Amino acid sequence: MHGRAAALGAGTILNALATGTGSAFAIDAETTATVELDDSDDVRGTIAEAPDADTRLVERCVELVVEQYGDGEGGTVETESDVPMAAGLKSSSAAANATVLATLDAVGASVGRGPDDDITRIDACRLGVRAAREVGVTVTGAFDDASASMLGGVVVTDNTEDELVARDEPDWDVLVWTPPEQAFSADADVSRCEDVASMANLVAELALEGRYAEAMTVNGLAFSAALDFPTDPAVEAMPLADGVSLSGTGPSVVAVGDRDGLEQVQERWDARDGETRLTTTRTDGARIL
Ligand SMILES: Nc1ncnc2c1ncn2[C@@H]1O[C@H](COP(=O)(O)OP(=O)(O)O)[C@@H](O)[C@H]1O
Ligand SMILES: O=C(O)C1=C[C@@H](OP(=O)(O)O)[C@@H](O)[C@H](O)C1
């Protein structure tokens, strides 16, 4: 029994660690999961680019789907990704969503909104969020990142209830800077994030008014200060981009705006260690391959 699916990376508009409300937008970066189910007793995961990395998230995703839609199968799951791991670009959400969809494909369960479908995409996304909570790679569950990765577009979510509050489909150019370091979400200083809750409430208001670019800039300044990341990249981008923010718990920084302006920001950010990448938003979300 074989299944294969791809899900998207994402950038941050509002980090949910302060209040539980979060907002994220899908970008054109993908993680693909390939699942092979058999009559073995356990699930073994492999991450193509990182043989020593923690595979419990994707293994738990396979187990949860098999428990509900399969027949006790074990097997293997392998991910391949161009979303860098633990860089703030939602590698965990992309890996979980791709694995859940690939496993649903392998067991022959149908995903969609029709009366005969077994599960909707948003409920498939909730299974991945449950797996992330169970293996401890998340603080709030990160339903904001997971739903952006699964559905595409911009989402605003309540991560305390795993509910979608708003969704939109803007078409933006996006610049990403990823420094060479990693920052695992599970290690983030949550109490420092809670200290900037008043700014998070303002960011949520702006996002719900559709003022995404301003929202993300306020988010970036507040959470860079709280989590001790430099604000220089944001200040360099502000005259040339519509919005710029620390993505998630860092260390990546994302900017949105017009292509010309972002190319100029890229020249500035290229002077830093790490990698820059010009990309776009995606509105189509995850898919079975
Ligand atoms: N390609 C992948 N395949 C399998 N698991 C992954 C992959 N990428 C990330 N993960 C899981 O997600 C964890 C990192 O999550 P997190 O710190 O939230 O980073 P991010 O901000 O990129 O989502 C990893 O330790 C691993 O468990
Ligand atoms: O673990 C979590 O609950 C979250 C982690 C952060 O993202 P990263 O995983 O990208 O750091 C944050 O932006 C998100 O709103 C919630």
Side-chain angles (χ1 to χ4, degrees), residues 79-144:
T79 59
E80 289 166 72
S81 183
D82 52 33
V83 185
M85 190 181 293
L89 299 173
K90 327 306 181 188
S91 67
S92 51
S93 299
N97 283 332
T99 302
V100 167
L101 290 183
T103 314
L104 287 164
D105 185 29
V107 298
S110 63
V111 182
R113 293 174 152 272
D116 296 330
D117 285 320
D118 295 299
I119 186 170
T120 59
R121 285 205 299 179
I122 200 72
D123 279 337
C125 166
R126 290 187 175 105
L127 274 181
V129 167
R130 183 175 148 197
R133 286 198 178 101
E134 287 182 10
V135 302
V137 295
T138 175
V139 178
T140 68
F143 183 68
D144 50 348

Side-chain angles (χ1 to χ4, degrees), residues 12 14-17 88-90 137-142 144-145 159 185 247-250:
T12 291
L14 170 57
N15 185 325
L17 264 58
L89 299 173
K90 327 306 181 188
V137 295
T138 175
V139 178
T140 68
D144 50 348
D145 305 340
N159 290 5
S185 320
S247 194
T249 56

Side-chain angles (χ1 to χ4, degrees), residues 61-239:
C61 286
V62 175
E63 287 166 5
L64 285 176
V65 174
V66 165
E67 270 168 39
Q68 289 188 35
Y69 298 94
D71 198 16
E73 296 90 345
T76 60
V77 50
E78 172 160 20
T79 59
E80 289 166 72
S81 183
D82 52 33
V83 185
M85 190 181 293
L89 299 173
K90 327 306 181 188
S91 67
S92 51
S93 299
N97 283 332
T99 302
V100 167
L101 290 183
T103 314
L104 287 164
D105 185 29
V107 298
S110 63
V111 182
R113 293 174 152 272
D116 296 330
D117 285 320
D118 295 299
I119 186 170
T120 59
R121 285 205 299 179
I122 200 72
D123 279 337
C125 166
R126 290 187 175 105
L127 274 181
V129 167
R130 183 175 148 197
R133 286 198 178 101
E134 287 182 10
V135 302
V137 295
T138 175
V139 178
T140 68
F143 183 68
D144 50 348
D145 305 340
S147 53
S149 164
M150 180 63 93
L151 303 177
V154 170
V155 296
V156 180
T157 64
D158 175 355
N159 290 5
T160 64
E161 302 286 341
D162 292 349
E163 286 297 339
L164 194 60
V165 178
R167 180 167 176 275
D168 199 357
E169 296 195 345
D171 187 8
W172 297 328
D173 286 305
V174 179
L175 177 66
V176 181
W177 169 52
T178 302
E181 305 85 46
Q182 289 184 310
F184 288 88
S185 320
D187 301 334
D189 189 337
V190 179
S191 138
R192 291 273 298 177
C193 292
E194 287 168 350
D195 287 343
V196 300
S198 58
M199 286 297 101
N201 287 331
L202 172 61
V203 175
E205 278 175 33
L206 291 169
L208 288 171
E209 287 171 21
R211 295 169 67 183
Y212 304 117
E214 291 154 285
M216 67 192 281
T217 302
V218 176
N219 179 79
L221 293 176
F223 283 91
S224 297
L227 295 172
D228 209 13
F229 284 98
T231 45
D232 306 9
V235 175
E236 280 168 19
M238 269 186 231

Side-chain angles (χ1 to χ4, degrees), residues 11-69:
T12 291
I13 293 173
L14 170 57
N15 185 325
L17 264 58
T19 64
T21 298
S23 176
F25 59 97
I27 61 171
D28 188 18
E30 288 197 347
T31 300
T32 302
T34 307
V35 170
E36 305 284 351
L37 297 179
D38 53 37
D39 55 10
S40 62
D41 292 333
D42 60 345
V43 179
R44 285 106 36 217
T46 318
I47 302 174
E49 304 77 22
D52 298 327
D54 182 358
T55 53
R56 285 173 310 148
L57 172 63
V58 287
E59 288 162 359
R60 189 67 192 132
C61 286
V62 175
E63 287 166 5
L64 285 176
V65 174
V66 165
E67 270 168 39
Q68 289 188 35
Y69 298 94

